[in-house]
Amino acid sequence: MSEESPEIVKPINADQPVGEVLVFAEQCLGELQPVGLELLGAGRILADKLKRPLTAIVLGHNLGDIPKTLIAHGADKVYIADHPDLEQYRTLPYRRVICKWIEQMAVEPHTMLLGSTTTGRDLAPRIAAHFTTGLTADTTELDIGDYDHKGGSDPSKIGLYAHCLYAIRPSFGESLKARILGPWKNPQMATTRPGVMVPLKPDWERTGEVITIPVDIDSSDYRLAVKETFREVNQTVNLAQADVIVAGGYGLGNPEGFELIRKLADCFDNSAVGASRKVVDAGWIPYNHQIGQTGKTVRPKVYIACGISGAIQHRVGMQNSDLIIAINKDPDAPIFKFAHHGIVGDLYQVLPEMIRQLQSSQSSSPKEVSSVV
Amino acid sequence: MSGISDILVLIKQVPDTSSKAGLNPDGTIDRAKAKRMLNPFDRYALQAALHVKKMYGGRVTALTMGPPPAVEILLEAIAHGADQGYLLSDRRLAASDTLATAYALHKCVLYLGKMDLIFTGLQTTDGDTAQVGPQIAERLDLPQVTYCEDFSIEEGKLHARRIVEGGHQDVICNLPALVTVANAYHQLEYKTLRGARLIQELNRDEALKNQYIHTITLDDVSADPELCGLKGSPTIVAHTDKVGQIGGQCVMHQGKSIEALVKEITGGTQIKEFVRQ
Ligand SMILES: Cc1cc2nc3c(=O)[nH]c(=O)nc-3n(C[C@H](O)[C@H](O)[C@H](O)COP(=O)(O)OP(=O)(O)OC[C@H]3O[C@@H](n4cnc5c(N)ncnc54)[C@H](O)[C@@H]3O)c2cc1C
């Protein structure tokens, strides 16, 4: 019997110990960044598939409730490094503390995840280069699965590998999705786009271990000093909950253009004003309106982009909106590659007309008439 | 005294995706047919390097890794004012991922000797990873400033502003350092007439060209071929999928009166639902 059954191939890495799934939980000015909780949501699924613990590492000073929050969101264990010199993110001290901690583990993590933020994308490649391990940037999906490496110029890599990290990312201007693997060395690393993974519902009854890790910073790690960090943390602009977002870009030509944007936004219920980074940098509107990679990620029912070219850094913050309407005078603007409706024209002609039509549809609506009467 | 003597800028030739040439229907690129260009962020890096040279002195070396046609971007850099160019070209580099690329390039930096400042673009348009710069910095044990959008050099230190979520961050960094450039604050002067003439001359006179542009191999920089190319790459692309909904879906409204165009939008039911009553 046994001779007739198909040969079961044993994965090359079957007997190797499998480590934990480690998440870098980023804090800024003592505040945990949402991407850390998103990574825990994704990491929990990976860890359960691997049957290994999910751990989180957080560096900073006076971390307060952060470890508790991480455990409530799925971490089995939290490593904390608390030191005044870790309060603000700096590449060299952070990479030293983390690399040293990983080096002393009996088994290195199977997977390490960081956010694709200006911090995560600064730190992750340093750690990956230190361990000479693989790193996939900007992933949008993660999974665990087998991989049968059939060929290629390196025969030493050929064979079946079990439980590999599948790091999936958009490529070629978002038109393709690539699955990237690196099962030959652990930790298998990835950075993940903020706003994509879903955090678990917090369970404040959940318990976990909190471990304080050593902090030995080398004098050479002080070669860079942070003078000042300016972050607009004001959340008064209700972009996340808005049904309709009207966003203005550099095509407005001047800051006064935002009056028109506001007027259009006022035609809708539950609406908000958004902006590209370029107009924020120009000082036309505060940072808390910015949408995109270094601004907010939004998913409204309707997104109206006015005079915005549609750069990838803007696109990642709004491309999941249900309906995207773009107004741009350039028919070749990249925004028309992913908008649902595009009006080619001068926004200073289009927007006033749009406002006029929307307002007249308001006054002609029977509901409105009866309420007046 | 700035104390700057050598500035290195790392640049890459990428397919020009704004041109239709070489674009396959499925969105992938046929690199042989595609037009080539200097990676846009590397243009900013070149601007930064030439800005340092202009303001604080020093010599600018441009370094690229790629097949022989990549020499075009070195010539471009020289036309703008770079002093010399190095092309690392070697078949054993084929299919290098970011780690293997960073290994090979850091060997080149060691080969070139002491550099006070190394500039790279934030990321490339064909890879979009932003990883190679920091990976080189790690190999060279250098401090780094990523996402840099403006800088100056004061008393031998780099004062830089970097982009962060919701704002920016000002840092002061010792030299030598590696900087990845995200923005064009220092405009690249248009290729000077002198630069254009020089390029013509270099294209005519092979011997003169060899004084400006040096093609090197892994052996020249004593790089271990086992750590380069497919062999030295811990990752591979195992599979690609087309992304369904993206591209070519946009309903374009144009060529009518503004009133008619706008009507096509405001008349849509998806919008009407949200109009304030
Ligand atoms: C690290 C990094 C992070 C970034 N993060 C973000 C981010 O979070 N969010 C973000 O938005 N950007 C971000 N950017 C910047 C991004 O790359 C673009 O530069 C920016 O989005 C461009 O803004 P814009 O579309 O308003 O301006 P432009 O690119 O200048 O586009 C203006 C558009 O307006 C059109 N136009 C001009 N006049 C008119 C008119 N009268 N009527 C109609 N259309 C007109 C033009 O055709 C053009 O398409 C980031 C960049 C980097 C490097």
Side-chain angles (χ1 to χ4, degrees), chain B residues 73-84:
Chain B
I73 58 168
L74 294 178
L75 284 169
E76 195 175 338
I78 288 168
H80 283 295
D83 297 284
Q84 54 174 351

Side-chain angles (χ1 to χ4, degrees), chain A residues 221-242:
Chain A
D221 296 336
Y222 293 94
R223 284 176 283 175
L224 179 143
V226 175
K227 206 162 91 188
E228 199 189 351
T229 306
F230 173 80
R231 285 212 198 207
E232 177 71 68
V233 282
N234 186 342
Q235 295 292 338
T236 51
V237 184
N238 192 11
L239 284 167
Q241 267 82 45

Side-chain angles (χ1 to χ4, degrees), chain A residues 15-322:
Chain A
D15 299 325
Q16 281 163 23
V18 178
E20 62 202 54
V21 174
L22 175 63
V23 163
F24 171 69
E26 194 178 308
Q27 58 83 25
C28 176
L29 310 171
E31 209 178 308
L32 187 63
Q33 298 303 293
V35 70
L37 302 181
E38 295 163 18
L39 293 175
L40 286 175
R44 188 70 259 168
I45 298 169
L46 306 182
D48 289 346
K49 286 194 177 178
L50 291 167
K51 303 191 178 66
R52 287 296 178 277
L54 175 64
T55 60
I57 187 165
V58 54
L59 284 66
H61 188 45
N62 296 332
L63 292 166
D65 280 345
I66 289 180
K68 209 173 155 216
T69 308
L70 294 170
I71 289 167
H73 285 82
D76 298 315
K77 241 192 249 183
V78 177
Y79 308 124
I80 58 168
D82 186 316
H83 192 282
D85 293 344
L86 296 175
E87 188 164 20
Q88 298 231 44
Y89 170 73
R90 277 174 302 148
T91 317
L92 300 179
Y94 268 56
R95 76 94 158 76
R96 184 169 314 270
V97 169
I98 294 170
C99 290
K100 275 198 176 165
W101 181 246
I102 291 176
E103 270 159 9
Q104 62 74 51
M105 290 181 179
V107 180
E108 72 277 349
H110 174 278
T111 290
M112 181 174 185
L113 305 176
L114 301 91
S116 303
T117 59
T118 56
T119 297
R121 288 176 109 208
D122 184 272
L123 178 61
R126 300 280 313 213
I127 298 172
H130 178 87
F131 290 114
T132 61
T133 193
L135 168 62
T136 305
D138 243 2
T139 57
T140 51
E141 287 169 52
L142 297 166
D143 204 353
I144 296 288
D146 293 347
Y147 175 56
D148 193 0
H149 189 55
K150 295 231 160 67
S153 65
D154 186 359
S156 70
K157 287 181 176 171
I158 292 175
L160 178 68
Y161 293 82
H163 47 68
C164 316
L165 175 68
Y166 290 1
I168 298 158
R169 67 176 305 232
S171 66
F172 290 115
E174 315 272 310
S175 61
L176 288 182
K177 260 189 344 191
R179 187 195 292 163
I180 296 174
L181 274 86
W184 302 283
K185 186 146 190 190
N186 291 341
Q188 300 171 45
M189 292 180 63
T191 63
T192 297
R193 271 193 197 165
V196 175
M197 304 297 174
V198 185
L200 298 174
K201 262 217 182 92
D203 170 3
W204 299 101
E205 308 295 307
R206 238 179 139 262
T207 54
E209 203 181 340
V210 179
I211 299 166
T212 302
I213 69 173
V215 177
D216 313 298
I217 306 175
D218 192 89
S219 61
S220 66
D221 296 336
Y222 293 94
R223 284 176 283 175
L224 179 143
V226 175
K227 206 162 91 188
E228 199 189 351
T229 306
F230 173 80
R231 285 212 198 207
E232 177 71 68
V233 282
N234 186 342
Q235 295 292 338
T236 51
V237 184
N238 192 11
L239 284 167
Q241 267 82 45
D243 284 326
V244 179
I245 293 176
V246 184
Y250 208 65
L252 290 173
N254 56 59
E256 290 72 43
F258 272 101
E259 283 164 25
L260 203 54
I261 298 288
R262 258 185 212 105
K263 248 182 158 173
L264 178 56
D266 281 342
C267 295
F268 300 99
D269 276 326
N270 190 21
S271 62
V273 170
S276 71
R277 180 158 184 124
K278 200 158 164 184
V279 292
V280 170
D281 279 346
W284 297 359
I285 190 163
Y287 265 115
N288 52 10
H289 291 270
Q290 186 187 313
I291 289 166
Q293 184 190 319
T294 51
K296 297 204 172 73
T297 302
V298 295
R299 246 202 120 127
K301 304 265 172 29
V302 183
Y303 190 92
I304 307 179
C306 312
I308 292 179
S309 59
I312 182 74
Q313 294 89 356
H314 187 78
R315 176 177 177 171
V316 297
M318 45 65 78
Q319 63 184 353
N320 292 323
S321 307
D322 290 352

Side-chain angles (χ1 to χ4, degrees), chain B residues 2 25 57 62 72 78 81 99 106 109 150 152 160 166 168 190 192-193 206 230 232 277:
Chain B
S2 68
E72 293 159 5
I78 288 168
L99 191 86
H106 109 280
V109 179
D150 198 8
S152 62
H168 50 75
Y190 250 69
T192 57
L193 205 54
E206 199 65 23
L230 208 55
Q277 294 301 334

Side-chain angles (χ1 to χ4, degrees), chain A residues 95 118 122 126 147 157 177 179 181 223 225 227-228 230 232 267 269 294 340-342 357 362 365, chain B residues 127-128 138 141-142 144 146 165-166 168 170 172 174 230 233 236 238-239 241 251 253 266 274 276-277:
Chain A
R95 76 94 158 76
T118 56
D122 184 272
R126 300 280 313 213
Y147 175 56
K157 287 181 176 171
K177 260 189 344 191
R179 187 195 292 163
L181 274 86
R223 284 176 283 175
K227 206 162 91 188
E228 199 189 351
F230 173 80
E232 177 71 68
C267 295
D269 276 326
T294 51
H340 301 98
H341 287 275
Q357 290 187 14
Q362 284 167 11
S365 111
Chain B
D128 264 338
E138 179 66 21
D141 189 25
L142 288 178
Q144 71 190 29
T146 56
E165 286 71 18
H168 50 75
D170 292 328
I172 303 173
N174 290 3
L230 208 55
S233 298
I236 55 139
H239 183 78
D241 268 330
V251 182
H253 305 267
T266 55
F274 301 103
R276 177 163 289 161
Q277 294 301 334

